[in-house]
Amino acid sequence: MSRRKEAPQKDTGEKDYRFMSALARGLSVLRAFGPDNRPLGNGEIAERVGLPKPTVSRITFTLTELGYLDYVEDSGRYRLGPGILTLGYDVLAQMEIRDIARPYMQELANYANASIYLGVPNGLEIIYIEACRAPASMAIRLGVGSRIPLPTTGMGRAYLAALPEADRKALIARLKVSYGDDWKTVEPGMTRGIEETRERGFSLAIGEWVSEANSAGAAIRRSDGYPAYAINVGGLRSIITRERLEKDLGPRVLGVARQIELVARGLL
């Protein structure tokens, strides 16, 4: 679960140790370019952002290597590269996928009297980017921005099962290192869950992450078949039982995932 945000610190004239100056300088260079993306030289960028020209030269070289700037040979200037567009596209895509998914998620939440979450993979976790609940549900309420583990949740297992085999093996190897001695208790359930998901299309997690809660999940795939998002339905095990997940809600959350894929075909 994500940490609670701390209150802003008063300006005491001392720089917060968490503030990364190098990153701030790099972002200031990117902001120096206007909407017209007119090519700029290191000297002009230095003047705009108030940094020494040698510092700007190192930053522009690094940003060019990463694809965020293009170097114009003829003029010796820089302009924004295609890499910078992917940053904005990812944010816009998540906003659009939330808008597409929300009505289908809310319909299932109302039917199931449960919580429905949409998540995006991030490293060894999944981050919730949308949440829908029935008004009177007694669900465990996690918010947008909450992080959940891959191997012990319905959503995480659905994502793992949908990955190409080589990618899945590589990610599981990272999980093994991360979990250390706990891996021997986590791996059997994860492996079983992945196998079951590949057979029926949706995953189950029965009290394995939160002991009093059960969930079912399904992956949302891009047009090339690669999982881009995942969705789950979950709640207190007294209401969201294994039998109900297996016979009713699991197939329904899989249907919602397929519906989102269909509607978002041009986006995924």
Side-chain angles (χ1 to χ4, degrees):
M1 190 177 298
S2 59
R3 291 181 177 180
R4 186 177 61 184
K5 294 180 71 173
E6 298 179 2
Q9 299 293 315
K10 293 181 179 180
D11 186 4
T12 62
E14 297 181 3
K15 186 169 291 186
D16 194 310
Y17 74 94
R18 294 169 297 183
F19 187 85
M20 188 176 293
S21 299
L23 176 59
R25 289 194 293 265
L27 293 174
S28 72
V29 167
L30 292 176
R31 288 195 298 268
F33 293 85
D36 59 355
N37 198 17
R38 181 175 66 82
L40 302 174
N42 284 327
E44 190 172 0
I45 295 172
E47 185 177 347
R48 290 190 177 192
V49 301
L51 291 173
K53 186 176 177 181
T55 300
V56 169
S57 297
R58 293 195 299 272
I59 293 172
T60 53
F61 175 82
T62 302
L63 292 172
T64 301
E65 290 292 298
L66 294 174
Y68 297 130
L69 291 180
D70 280 340
Y71 181 67
V72 183
E73 294 276 357
D74 293 344
S75 63
R77 295 171 180 266
Y78 297 88
R79 63 187 173 201
L80 294 176
I84 197 69
L85 299 177
T86 64
L87 297 177
Y89 177 81
D90 288 344
V91 174
L92 291 174
Q94 287 192 21
M95 292 172 64
E96 290 185 45
I97 199 73
R98 289 172 61 190
D99 290 340
I100 290 170
R102 192 176 297 114
Y104 302 105
M105 293 171 61
Q106 190 62 59
E107 182 179 9
L108 181 56
N110 293 341
Y111 170 83
N113 192 27
S115 295
I116 314 295
Y117 292 102
L118 177 68
V120 63
N122 182 263
L124 303 182
E125 301 173 310
I126 285 184
I127 300 176
Y128 286 155
I129 61 172
E130 185 58 280
C132 292
R133 306 178 185 90
S137 72
M138 296 181 64
I140 295 173
R141 294 174 178 258
L142 297 175
V144 171
S146 295
R147 296 171 178 268
I148 66 169
L150 287 173
T152 55
T153 61
M155 186 182 285
R157 290 174 178 177
Y159 173 72
L160 287 169
L163 285 171
E165 185 175 1
D167 291 355
R168 182 169 58 254
K169 286 182 176 179
L171 188 51
I172 288 174
R174 292 173 58 199
L175 286 167
K176 181 178 180 179
V177 173
S178 175
Y179 274 80
D181 292 340
D182 294 332
W183 184 244
K184 61 181 179 293
T185 61
V186 171
E187 183 183 23
M190 179 201 68
T191 301
R192 182 180 64 253
I194 290 173
E195 292 172 352
E196 292 173 348
T197 305
R198 291 170 63 82
E199 291 174 2
R200 61 191 173 196
F202 63 88
S203 63
L204 293 182
I206 307 300
E208 292 165 86
W209 180 45
V210 177
S211 60
E212 64 269 27
N214 299 333
S215 69
I220 298 172
R221 304 170 187 259
R222 301 186 317 217
S223 57
D224 62 3
Y226 200 91
Y229 301 90
I231 187 171
N232 73 5
V233 52
L236 297 175
R237 62 185 182 186
S238 58
I239 300 171
I240 309 299
T241 63
R242 174 193 283 271
E243 181 180 14
R244 191 179 178 203
L245 288 171
E246 290 179 336
K247 294 183 177 180
D248 183 20
L249 299 183
R252 285 179 183 272
V253 81
L254 177 60
V256 169
R258 296 294 172 265
Q259 186 66 42
I260 294 170
E261 289 173 352
L262 180 64
V263 177
R265 182 173 295 172
L267 179 64
L268 295 175

